[in-house]
Amino acid sequence: MRALRGAAALAVAVLLAGCGAGAGAPVWTGVPSAGTASAAPGGPSAGGPTPSGSATATGAGTPSPGATSATWKTYTDPAKKVRFELPADWIVQSTGPAAGAAPGSLHIEVKKGDGTFVAALQTGLPVPTSAPCDPAQAKPYSVLNSVPVTVPFADGPAVITPRFVFRVIQGYKYFGSFGLTALATSAQDGKACRLVNIVPGPAGIGGYSFADTVEVVPPSPQAQVAPLSSFDTLAQASAYVRDSGDFADAQRMIMSLAFTQS
């Protein structure tokens, strides 16, 4: 019954979109269901050290095996610059460009049906340069999931093949972040000061991020943790990547990103 209700809701949404979508409105289309995220061929982990201790790099180089939502739709922005898939009951909200972004850039937030923030797609971002990391401030970090993604990028110093990653950096807990990246992490001895979820894009796109947050630094105990995930152990973080349907949904959504204009 739940699947039937979801399918019916999607059918209504698609019908309404077909009636009201114009040049200035987003376009919604139905997407066939998939049990797991589709992706480019997997490869070895990249972007950092492998996890240590009781955690393992389960899913490294492959999409998360967690079950994704039963019904999906495709979002296309009003200017038809980008499109991506997302669960049928998730919400898309467009806001003004982020501070420092180029004029006319996109800033699209994706939330679950209950309003919980999932990820943001931002374009026209300045690409950060590799900053020195004070060894005294560096924290251990691990890459628990790393999958190649076919998206446009501009080559350059410290640029790697774009990937969807889930990385954990250690503070007073283990803090995890997911999203696209194509910038090598400035690290030494498995430690880093920050993790950046940005892809240097070609002219017309600029730096872009489709992630839960653009940059990750270990928060202090008094700081707001959200939207980062927090875990008591690396094993808990690894289990989240392996089993969480929410993570599998976010991964499939982000990896489906396509630029329709350059």
Side-chain angles (χ1 to χ4, degrees), residues 81-201:
K81 295 181 179 179
V82 298
R83 67 173 181 267
F84 56 86
E85 300 175 8
L86 70 162
D89 61 346
W90 285 14
I91 302 165
V92 176
Q93 296 178 330
S94 181
T95 65
S105 300
L106 296 175
H107 187 172
I108 300 168
E109 293 190 352
V110 181
K111 301 178 180 180
K112 297 173 66 174
D114 62 5
T116 302
F117 174 83
V118 178
L121 170 60
Q122 302 180 63
T123 64
L125 300 175
V127 178
T129 57
S130 180
C133 178
D134 181 354
Q137 302 298 319
K139 301 294 183 182
Y141 82 103
S142 300
V143 180
L144 301 188
N145 188 275
S146 178
V147 188
V149 182
T150 303
V151 290
F153 72 102
D155 203 359
V159 174
I160 61 175
T161 301
R163 310 182 73 84
F164 172 91
V165 294
F166 182 84
R167 297 176 289 187
V168 174
I169 193 165
Q170 185 175 350
Y172 67 92
K173 283 191 171 186
Y174 294 87
F175 297 97
S177 173
F178 58 78
L180 299 179
T181 190
L183 295 175
T185 300
S186 178
Q188 185 174 1
D189 298 327
K191 295 182 178 181
C193 290
R194 63 174 181 165
L195 307 175
V196 180
N197 295 322
I198 288 182
V199 176

